[in-house]
Amino acid sequence: MPAQSYVNGRYVLHDSAAVHIEDRGYQFADGVYEVIAIYGGGIVDEKPHMERFFRSLGELNIPPPASARTIAIILREILRRNRITDGALYLQVTRGVAPRNHAHPPDMKPALVVTGRAVRWPQSFAAVQPIAIVGVADERWTRADIKSVSLLPNILARMSADRTGADDAWMIDGAGYVTEGSSSNAWIVSNGDEIITRQLGHSILAGITRQAILKHFGDALKFTERAFTLEEAKGAAEAFQTSTTALVKPVVKIDGSPIGDGKPGGVTKKVFEAYLTHFAAHASAAPSAAPSAAS
Amino acid sequence: MPAQSYVNGRYVLHDSAAVHIEDRGYQFADGVYEVIAIYGGGIVDEKPHMERFFRSLGELNIPPPASARTIAIILREILRRNRITDGALYLQVTRGVAPRNHAHPPDMKPALVVTGRAVRWPQSFAAVQPIAIVGVADERWTRADIKSVSLLPNILARMSADRTGADDAWMIDGAGYVTEGSSSNAWIVSNGDEIITRQLGHSILAGITRQAILKHFGDALKFTERAFTLEEAKGAAEAFQTSTTALVKPVVKIDGSPIGDGKPGGVTKKVFEAYLTHFAAHASAAPSAAPSAAS
């Protein structure tokens, strides 16, 4: 069965899934997106993902393309048509199609695209490939908290990592503090087993994986939300990054310097294992589990 | 004759001109563009536009989708097929189509889109509608000198203007200085008839209209390239903005305060008239006039 995607009201063959060249997503990056994990046929942390999606739309004054319940049904239909039980969904909404002009006409019809793909999730910490990262200047706009498709600086950060043979980049703000990874939240573990990640604000995305870790494991682990420099990270006992598709990924090298003993650390392992349990437990199957907030 | 556009090697009906949903322009704003004026059938300042286009591509490490000469031929074919003698061309190149991932595969095939539309150019300064602008925080990334499609902050700036009943917005950097308009360069005229516009750098686009004015009329008019605050602009004798499609547009109100006597000024009129002469004189018709630099 060839892959199918959802584009503006229709399920189409993925190979021919297209949007108009004057879709404002293409010409102006005027849109938002979400990536959501699928585990055992269930949609992981669907409610916070959909809440963030509707918040991003609201920040850009893009009206929702459909109710939360309708979107929940579309997500499941994409899973069904592509026979995905473990994988990821990608949702994108743009302001829609109009003759090119910075100012947009009133009452535009927003465009909705949904794709799905299979992902083989790691079942143990040993299966997770540790990574090396480099620090790069954070060149992004001032509203990284909005999950927009205006991702060019993130792409350039990732390209910088590639050029130096690293796997990813952590971005550093004008004051010298790490904001986040090119598509992840950044964390370090102090020598006292304190787990540190930057506080929320306009300069980082409120990662759903980040939020789940802080919310559910605060009793068993010691967390602090504050900014840290790349120098502090280089001297940390452990480092890792989190995202919807990378889950909890050990960072074993920063700018060429090994972190701790250069191997994935024990605290990172605890966070990974706790998150994997959460991941399995928070996968919702039925559309009735869809959030009502934005319906 | 219905409008036609060029998309990746084919001339297609504009209404059905489409790109794949996994074009990186759509998902990552991973692309660049140009807008070029057409006057009397000729392409205005084609050489500097194409030089900037190839520079933007180079900054993002996107290989040119075709030689400068081939692109020059495509531009003329779009004009011919759409019977445009006065108008504007829009060119966009993105890194191409690939399964969504921040890291892109090597050897991608860049995507090229060209559209054209008719524009009725003002033939006299009296025909130009003066505008009111508001100052907004410049929330963009640090590389506004690259003409990328990562334009969401520009769109939000324009929306801020709309909300306050103004026509456009000038953006203000962290130090309090005006960078540029949401899609134009910003200029003021001092009480001593000195014409001031921000110096080039990473925080503004090197506008082709800006460049033409500075290059060709420096003998007749007095120019200074330096940053100015919105307060200085409010106290200026005149203000205006320049862009490929707006040419030279008088700004008669900033944040609700009239500039000078609240009417388009005499120096702005001189700049407009000089530029209109340049505009007509620098329209190139034959593809042989295409730049050889990037062929």
Side-chain angles (χ1 to χ4, degrees):
Chain A
M1 186 184 63
Q4 293 184 46
S5 292
Y6 175 91
V7 182
N8 294 325
R10 295 194 309 155
Y11 297 91
V12 296
L13 289 181
H14 180 73
D15 284 349
S16 57
V19 290
H20 195 266
I21 56 171
E22 291 195 316
D23 185 300
R24 291 178 63 93
Y26 198 60
Q27 296 189 322
F28 293 112
D30 194 4
V32 302
Y33 74 105
E34 281 291 325
V35 178
I36 314 182
I38 307 303
Y39 187 83
I43 299 177
V44 181
D45 277 333
E46 180 175 20
K47 190 166 183 289
H49 275 289
M50 293 309 295
E51 283 171 356
R52 186 174 64 181
F53 194 47
F54 277 80
R55 175 187 176 273
S56 294
L57 287 169
E59 290 293 318
L60 304 190
N61 270 305
I62 296 178
S67 70
R69 182 165 175 83
T70 299
I71 294 173
I73 292 167
I74 294 166
L75 299 186
R76 285 159 179 81
E77 186 63 17
I78 284 294
L79 297 181
R80 193 186 69 75
R81 286 176 182 248
N82 293 289
R83 295 185 190 167
I84 295 168
T85 49
D86 290 297
L89 287 165
Y90 175 80
L91 296 76
Q92 180 172 347
V93 172
T94 68
R95 203 178 301 276
V97 176
R100 187 180 185 281
N101 191 331
H102 279 62
H104 60 84
D107 305 324
M108 288 192 67
K109 190 175 146 44
L112 172 61
V113 165
V114 181
T115 62
R117 64 185 169 93
V119 175
R120 196 182 293 263
W121 299 112
Q123 294 301 317
S124 72
F125 190 57
V128 180
Q129 189 69 32
I131 58 170
I133 64 108
V134 287
V136 301
D138 191 336
E139 300 193 317
R140 299 175 301 166
W141 73 318
T142 61
R143 293 299 305 275
D145 61 308
I146 301 172
K147 200 167 172 70
S148 83
V149 294
S150 197
L151 291 169
L152 180 55
N154 304 62
I155 298 304
L156 296 179
R158 179 66 69 99
M159 284 166 65
S160 292
D162 285 350
R163 269 196 299 278
T164 61
D167 303 294
D168 207 341
W170 283 8
M171 297 181 282
I172 301 162
D173 67 17
Y177 292 97
V178 172
T179 52
E180 57 188 337
S182 75
S183 60
S184 64
N185 287 120
W187 308 66
I188 57 172
V189 182
S190 76
N191 291 301
D193 285 358
E194 186 187 8
I195 307 171
I196 302 156
T197 195
R198 188 174 174 121
Q199 72 282 3
L200 295 182
H202 282 182
S203 49
I204 69 166
L205 184 75
I208 303 299
T209 306
R210 174 191 182 281
Q211 181 180 320
I213 291 168
L214 291 174
K215 184 173 170 188
H216 296 295
F217 315 123
D219 292 341
L221 299 162
K222 195 166 57 180
F223 294 106
T224 305
E225 292 179 76
R226 67 162 171 84
F228 56 86
T229 64
L230 203 67
E231 284 314 304
E232 183 178 0
K234 286 177 190 172
E238 305 178 27
F240 61 93
Q241 61 185 36
T242 58
S243 74
T244 292
T245 52
L247 311 183
V248 175
K249 215 177 226 328
V251 170
V252 293
K253 207 182 264 187
I254 298 179
D255 282 356
S257 308
I259 303 307
D261 62 2
K263 299 198 183 102
V267 175
T268 305
K269 183 168 188 279
K270 274 187 204 164
V271 174
F272 173 86
E273 288 171 350
Y275 184 70
L276 199 65
T277 308
H278 166 87
F279 195 65
H282 287 76
S284 58
S288 60
S292 58
S295 62
Chain B
M1 185 183 63
Q4 292 183 48
S5 292
Y6 175 91
V7 182
N8 294 324
R10 295 194 309 156
Y11 296 91
V12 295
L13 289 181
H14 180 73
D15 284 348
S16 56
V19 290
H20 195 265
I21 56 172
E22 290 194 317
D23 185 299
R24 290 177 64 94
Y26 198 59
Q27 296 190 321
F28 293 112
D30 194 4
V32 303
Y33 73 104
E34 282 289 326
V35 178
I36 314 182
I38 307 304
Y39 186 83
I43 300 178
V44 180
D45 276 333
E46 180 176 20
K47 189 165 184 288
H49 275 289
M50 292 309 295
E51 283 171 356
R52 186 173 65 180
F53 195 46
F54 278 79
R55 175 186 177 272
S56 295
L57 287 169
E59 290 292 319
L60 303 191
N61 270 303
I62 297 177
S67 70
R69 182 164 175 86
T70 299
I71 295 173
I73 292 168
I74 294 167
L75 299 186
R76 285 158 178 81
E77 185 62 17
I78 284 293
L79 297 181
R80 193 187 68 77
R81 286 177 182 250
N82 293 288
R83 296 185 190 166
I84 295 168
T85 49
D86 290 297
L89 286 165
Y90 175 81
L91 296 77
Q92 180 172 347
V93 172
T94 68
R95 202 178 303 275
V97 175
R100 187 181 185 281
N101 191 333
H102 279 62
H104 60 84
D107 305 324
M108 288 191 68
K109 190 176 144 44
L112 172 61
V113 165
V114 181
T115 60
R117 64 185 169 91
V119 174
R120 195 183 293 263
W121 300 112
Q123 294 301 319
S124 71
F125 190 58
V128 180
Q129 189 69 32
I131 58 170
I133 64 107
V134 287
V136 301
D138 191 336
E139 300 194 317
R140 299 176 301 166
W141 72 319
T142 61
R143 293 299 306 274
D145 60 308
I146 302 172
K147 199 166 172 72
S148 82
V149 294
S150 197
L151 291 170
L152 181 55
N154 305 60
I155 297 304
L156 296 180
R158 179 66 68 99
M159 284 167 64
S160 291
D162 284 349
R163 267 197 299 280
T164 61
D167 303 294
D168 207 340
W170 283 7
M171 296 181 284
I172 302 163
D173 68 18
Y177 292 96
V178 172
T179 51
E180 57 188 336
S182 75
S183 59
S184 64
N185 287 119
W187 307 66
I188 57 173
V189 182
S190 76
N191 290 301
D193 285 359
E194 185 188 10
I195 307 172
I196 302 156
T197 194
R198 189 173 175 123
Q199 72 282 4
L200 295 183
H202 282 185
S203 49
I204 70 166
L205 184 76
I208 304 299
T209 306
R210 173 191 180 284
Q211 182 179 318
I213 290 169
L214 290 175
K215 183 174 171 187
H216 297 294
F217 314 124
D219 292 341
L221 299 162
K222 194 166 58 181
F223 293 106
T224 305
E225 292 180 76
R226 66 161 172 86
F228 55 85
T229 64
L230 202 67
E231 284 314 305
E232 183 179 359
K234 286 178 190 174
E238 305 178 27
F240 61 93
Q241 61 185 35
T242 57
S243 74
T244 293
T245 52
L247 311 184
V248 176
K249 215 177 228 322
V251 170
V252 293
K253 206 182 265 189
I254 298 179
D255 283 353
S257 307
I259 304 306
D261 63 1
K263 297 197 185 103
V267 175
T268 305
K269 183 167 188 277
K270 274 187 204 163
V271 174
F272 172 87
E273 288 171 350
Y275 183 69
L276 199 64
T277 307
H278 165 88
F279 195 65
H282 288 76
S284 58
S288 60
S292 59
S295 63

